[in-house]
Amino acid sequence: MNWQDIRISRDWTSFLHEGTLLFGKKFRSVLKFHAPGLAPVKQEAGWSFLNSVGEISIAGPFKSAWGFYCHLSAVEDESGWYHLLPDGHAAYPERYAWCGNFQEDLCAVSDQAGKYFHIQPDGTRLYAANYAYTGDFKDGLACVMLTNSHFKHIDATGTFIYDAAFKDLGVYHKGIATAKDEHGWFHIDLRGKPLYPQRYAAIEPFYNGRAFAEDFQGNKLVLPQ
C-alpha cells in the first residue's frame, strides 16, 4: 500500500484507507505519514514510528515525536530534543530544549539557555546570532524575534533583508508579509516598506489579490492588492 493513500481518523487514534481501519488497532494518538513513509504513533510506553505495513520501524519510546520533514523528525527523550534519521539514529550529537520541524533544509531550535537560532541538517548552526524566537523558513525567508521583542526577516544565510524592525510579523507569501507597528497591522514588501498608509486591528495575508482585514471599529473588510 502507498503510504500517501493512508489517512488518519477524526479522533487522531488510528489509520484509515478508503474509510477502513488499518492494521487492526487503535493507538493513544497518531500523526500523519510523511516521506519516507513513517508515522509517529503513541502507545502506553511513549511514541514510536510505524511503517506503511503497520510495523514498528523505530521503537523509541520517545517522550515526543513528530513527522518527518526533509527526512528528519523532531523527537524528545530523556537526553533532550534532537532530530532523528529514518534509520532511527540521531542526525547529530547536540541536544536542545526544543526543536521545530525542518523546512527548506533549515530548522528552528532552542538551547537550554532559551536562545533560538536555526540549524542545518547535520546540526551545524546557520549563523552565530541568537534570538528570543525564530520561525520556520518559507521561500528562503524566516521571521526572528530580537531580544527587544521586535521582529525582522532573515534570509537563508542569516542576514537581515531590510533595516526596519516591527512589533510583530508574518511570513512572506509571494513577496508580501503582514507586519505590525505602533499604529496597527498592514502589509510590507521585500524591502520592509508598507504597501499603503492605512493600519488595521487585524489582517491576513493576500490570497489571489485579496486580504481579509478588520478595522479599529470592528468592521470586516476585504482589501485589494
Side-chain angles (χ1 to χ4, degrees):
M1 179 183 300
N2 190 332
W3 62 265
Q4 293 173 312
D5 296 328
I6 298 175
R7 301 293 181 262
I8 59 174
S9 61
R10 288 187 178 181
D11 62 2
W12 295 76
T13 63
S14 55
F15 297 101
L16 307 173
H17 182 253
E18 296 181 349
T20 301
L21 178 70
L22 287 177
F23 317 134
K25 65 181 300 185
K26 290 189 174 185
F27 300 87
R28 295 185 70 179
S29 187
V30 302
L31 295 174
K32 292 180 180 180
F33 277 87
H34 286 271
L38 298 173
V41 296
K42 187 178 183 181
Q43 302 184 86
E44 289 297 325
W47 288 87
S48 54
F49 288 87
L50 202 73
N51 64 24
S52 60
V53 296
E55 300 168 338
I56 296 296
S57 178
I58 303 172
F62 301 99
K63 294 170 66 175
S64 300
W66 304 91
F68 278 87
Y69 293 82
C70 303
H71 287 252
L72 292 162
S73 167
V75 297
E76 179 191 13
D77 62 20
E78 297 300 328
S79 67
W81 285 76
Y82 57 100
H83 285 91
L84 203 67
L85 297 165
D87 63 6
H89 290 93
Y92 47 75
E94 292 81 10
R95 295 295 183 267
Y96 295 102
W98 171 83
C99 290
N101 296 322
F102 271 89
Q103 303 289 340
E104 301 183 0
D105 289 326
L106 298 169
C107 185
V109 298
S110 173
D111 67 15
Q112 303 302 327
K115 299 173 182 176
Y116 286 78
F117 49 91
H118 290 92
I119 61 170
Q120 301 173 88
D122 64 358
T124 57
R125 291 179 63 128
L126 180 61
Y127 45 75
N130 293 311
Y131 295 104
Y133 190 76
T134 52
D136 287 340
F137 272 88
K138 181 178 183 293
D139 298 332
L141 301 172
C143 296
V144 297
M145 183 169 74
L146 312 178
T147 55
N148 65 2
S149 297
H150 282 69
F151 292 81
K152 302 184 75 161
H153 283 99
I154 59 171
D155 65 19
T157 69
T159 304
F160 295 129
I161 67 169
Y162 47 69
D163 293 329
F166 301 94
K167 293 177 70 67
D168 208 343
L169 275 179
V171 298
Y172 272 102
H173 178 66
K174 298 179 181 178
I176 297 174
T178 57
K180 184 181 182 182
D181 63 14
E182 63 273 17
H183 303 296
W185 283 93
F186 55 104
H187 292 90
I188 59 171
D189 63 18
L190 289 166
R191 300 169 298 165
K193 302 296 184 183
L195 297 187
Y196 46 76
Q198 295 85 0
R199 297 294 185 267
Y200 298 93
I203 205 165
E204 292 184 358
F206 278 106
Y207 173 60
N208 287 0
R210 296 290 184 270
F212 178 82
E214 182 178 332
D215 67 19
F216 293 102
Q217 288 72 49
N219 299 306
K220 314 299 184 182
L221 309 170
V222 177
L223 307 180
Q225 187 171 332

